[in-house]
Amino acid sequence: MPELPEVEFARQCLSRWLVGRKITGVECSPSRVLRGRSERKLRDLAGRVVRKIDRRGKWLLWHFAGGRGLASHLGMTGKFELVPPGAPPVRWSRARFLRADGAIVHFIDPRRFGELRVGALDDLRAGLSELGPDALGLGRRRLAALLADRTGTIKTVLMDQNVLAGLGNIYSTEALFTAGIHPARRAGTLHPAEIARLGSAIDESLRRMLAMNSGDKIVYVGESKRTNPFLVYGRVGTPCPRCEATLAKITLGGRTCSFCPSCQPRARKER
Ligand SMILES: [Zn+2]
């Protein structure tokens, strides 16, 4: 499932493929990714030049010439792919952005939890204003301020996009393991040393995956041909990579995650 590193990968690919180029046509069929919005608005992006593509958490904001914009979210299974001219049809393609050279950028989304919103750039930006600060490069002080006085568990708080934008189940699980913090700890009870460790661990988990994704194509965990690249995510019942205790699972905020009961003790541990 795409989280910050996968969305950043999409941003880099789309920037390479489209920025500075004119979209010569847009094709789409009625689909849940439009959330009931008119297909015409998407098609009306044809003829416009893509100026730049920004990322905020798991959202991308495409800037078009003339103040128009497109906000895109990959949902659970969305991805963008560049397909050369004359290639056969692409399965699960929900929208297509055509380039002058005949290449097509497909928005592919088998499960259709992704989203495409077209509008004035300023309106789209305002629509994303509820999001918390981006999780990448956040820094310890800002993280401490975000967590202070929060009574929710640290796992659910980290996944709350309005607190911190970009982390989902995977990278919150990985970061808590790396920082040695139990997922069910109350966010507001972390002491400064733990927050410092967590801040570094979030950055480390995100940057590790950013460095692993390269080229023009991405394969998500759970899709065929990809082995699990994570330390503990998706590894319940296997030995902890640090201490070899058996990794346990816990469900918080409706999401199940893995953790090491020995490296991530429930009681506060000073170091
Ligand atoms: Zn362990």
Side-chain angles (χ1 to χ4, degrees), residues 177 240-245 247 260-264:
F177 170 75
C240 168
R242 195 180 289 152
C243 76
E244 299 199 334
L247 296 175
C260 173
S262 165
C263 297
Q264 297 167 265

Side-chain angles (χ1 to χ4, degrees), residues 32 66 68 133 138 159 195 200 210 215 220 234 252:
R32 189 166 71 186
R68 297 296 284 175
L138 185 68
M159 289 194 299
I195 292 173
S200 309
L210 284 171
Y220 298 144
L252 297 163

Side-chain angles (χ1 to χ4, degrees), residues 98-159:
L98 281 56
R99 296 198 320 197
D101 63 358
I104 301 174
V105 174
H106 289 258
F107 178 56
I108 300 166
D109 189 3
R111 296 190 61 186
R112 294 168 299 155
F113 285 102
E115 187 172 346
L116 299 174
R117 290 181 194 169
V118 181
L121 200 48
D122 289 342
D123 294 344
L124 293 173
R125 206 183 272 120
L128 302 181
S129 63
E130 302 269 287
L131 292 174
D134 199 74
L136 188 63
L138 185 68
R140 178 178 46 168
R141 283 215 185 88
R142 286 186 83 191
L143 182 61
L146 293 175
L147 300 183
D149 302 327
R150 294 207 185 258
T151 54
T153 66
I154 184 63
K155 180 68 168 47
T156 49
V157 168
L158 289 180
M159 289 194 299

